[in-house]
Amino acid sequence: MSFEEFCNYMLEHLRDYLPEELRDATIERFDKSLINGGTGVGIVIREPDKDMAPCFYVNDAFKEYQNGMPLGELCEKLIDGYMEHRDVKAPIVPDNIFDFAQVKDQILPRMINLKQNCDLLGERPYTRVDDLAVVYMVDLPDFGDCGASMPISNSIFEKWQISMEELHTAAIQNAVTREGYILHDIRAMILGDMTMNFLNNDIPGLDAKDAPMLVLTTPSQIDGATALANPDILMAVGRAVQGDYYILPSSTDELLVVTKENARENGSTPKKLGEMVRNVNQQAVEDTKQLSDHIYEFNMESRELRTVPESREKVKEAER
């Protein structure tokens, strides 16, 4: 069964698994462009007496079907999820969303791949950072057990009548004041110690430059890659490791840092580090969380971030 056939099956049969009192609900399909390409197919179950309805995506359910889960069990699982969230309230969109001054402090950045998101970037204002792009979100009030955010579209940005620099500056500053960033030894992270932060420069007896690999992220471990858009944070990392360094984009949530000195001593060439990034992307990172397939370097003297060409995967020329 193809993915499209799977989606049609769900639309046709989910009603059979709804409680009797909900059998008159409308079941609709909802398609949404995903970060890094592809389409998320959602299903919305609208009850006649409700204005709002949760949308649940079936992409992951299709993977479970491919791994052997029976269609009946999948239908039951999806309906159980719907019943659990059917009364969750929608996030509250501010009435003053078109007033930049009123929502300025709620704007946050998100880092995505430039080339893989051309269609999405055609709909949103963005700032280019090497071969990456910073897009922007308005943080919305919490609802249920989670938070929500709304993408800033071109239409919203135009109504704000501000420059890209103003938008970018506000988002980058908010990312620092909301959470900030932490830099710690990857060995401590594996052991569950999230208290270390070499950016504070207050860890007696420990030296960041001696760590074979460091993790740069946020305290919540979400959207840590936005540090790539903040030269001040990248400079702080350089001061902590006492020199220039490589950055491995582990995901949109965290970055791995390796000093150039340690890389040389361990035989970790840019080519090998690039291969490491591609292997991790393939084996352990969700498609929507992948950032790029090569590494970057940060130069302290120039305050510049750039792609390391040697870390890119070489494309074999077609045989003539």
Side-chain angles (χ1 to χ4, degrees):
M1 182 181 291
S2 68
F3 178 62
E4 192 64 27
E5 290 171 332
F6 177 81
C7 293
N8 290 333
Y9 181 92
M10 289 290 135
L11 287 169
E12 293 174 9
H13 293 85
L14 279 175
R15 187 182 310 277
D16 299 336
Y17 294 85
L18 282 170
E20 188 65 34
E21 66 272 18
L22 300 181
R23 292 290 174 87
D24 59 348
T26 301
I27 300 178
E28 302 172 347
R29 173 171 170 163
F30 175 78
D31 291 10
K32 179 181 179 180
S33 296
L34 299 177
I35 289 177
N36 291 339
T39 301
V41 176
I43 291 180
V44 178
I45 301 176
R46 299 187 185 278
E47 299 176 37
D49 59 342
K50 291 188 177 182
D51 296 328
M52 302 297 299
C55 174
F56 50 91
Y57 290 91
V58 299
N59 299 65
D60 289 338
F62 180 65
K63 293 178 182 178
E64 292 181 294
Y65 163 72
Q66 290 179 311
N67 291 330
M69 182 176 285
L71 289 169
E73 289 186 25
L74 280 169
C75 287
E76 290 179 352
K77 182 177 180 180
L78 289 174
I79 293 302
D80 287 344
Y82 167 74
M83 296 301 293
E84 181 181 350
H85 295 94
R86 62 189 287 242
D87 294 324
V88 172
K89 295 181 179 179
I92 301 172
V93 178
D95 294 332
N96 52 11
I97 189 66
F98 295 117
D99 185 344
F100 175 71
Q102 295 295 317
V103 297
K104 179 180 178 181
D105 293 340
Q106 295 172 244
I107 297 171
L108 294 172
R110 183 164 295 169
M111 188 72 71
I112 62 175
N113 184 279
L114 183 74
K115 185 176 180 180
Q116 294 180 3
N117 293 282
C118 292
D119 291 342
L120 184 147
L121 292 174
E123 305 168 357
R124 303 187 192 180
Y126 70 91
T127 299
R128 182 168 182 169
V129 177
D130 197 78
D131 64 344
L132 305 173
V134 184
V135 292
Y136 309 94
M137 318 291 292
V138 176
D139 187 42
L140 300 176
D142 287 355
F143 70 109
D145 295 325
C146 58
S149 60
M150 182 179 70
I152 295 175
S153 63
N154 286 335
S155 59
I156 292 175
F157 177 63
E158 289 169 4
K159 289 184 180 296
W160 282 347
Q161 296 185 334
I162 60 171
S163 67
M164 275 302 308
E165 183 179 359
E166 287 179 275
L167 174 60
H168 183 73
T169 299
I172 296 303
Q173 288 179 346
N174 290 339
V176 174
T177 55
R178 285 284 187 100
E179 271 203 283
Y181 297 89
I182 55 176
L183 178 71
H184 49 243
D185 191 325
I186 192 171
R187 295 168 295 188
M189 181 178 178
I190 293 173
L191 295 174
D193 181 6
M194 300 294 291
T195 60
M196 178 185 299
N197 188 0
F198 285 114
L199 297 181
N200 291 339
N201 297 317
D202 60 357
I203 307 175
L206 294 176
D207 201 333
K209 70 181 181 63
D210 294 331
M213 186 172 286
L214 296 146
V215 180
L216 177 61
T217 185
T218 59
S220 66
Q221 296 180 278
I222 297 175
D223 283 334
T226 54
L228 292 170
N230 191 328
D232 291 337
I233 296 298
L234 296 180
M235 285 294 292
V237 173
R239 288 191 293 271
V241 301
Q242 301 176 38
D244 299 343
Y245 55 92
Y246 295 123
I247 298 174
L248 286 65
S250 177
S251 73
T252 56
D253 291 330
E254 65 179 29
L255 306 168
L256 301 181
V257 173
V258 179
T259 68
K260 290 191 172 183
E261 182 179 350
N262 281 340
R264 284 192 297 269
E265 291 178 355
N266 297 325
S268 299
T269 64
K271 180 180 179 181
K272 290 182 178 179
L273 294 174
E275 291 173 351
M276 181 187 300
V277 171
R278 289 186 287 276
N279 287 335
V280 171
N281 279 343
Q282 184 176 8
Q283 299 173 15
V285 184
E286 298 176 22
D287 291 345
T288 57
K289 293 285 188 179
Q290 292 181 18
L291 196 57
S292 80
D293 61 359
H294 56 266
I295 71 171
Y296 302 86
E297 63 181 350
F298 186 74
N299 184 284
M300 291 289 288
E301 183 176 354
S302 64
R303 289 174 59 98
E304 288 183 347
L305 175 81
R306 75 174 188 93
T307 292
V308 181
E310 299 86 352
S311 70
R312 289 187 179 275
E313 184 175 24
K314 292 185 178 180
V315 179
K316 295 182 179 178
E317 296 183 3
E319 294 184 3
R320 297 183 177 180

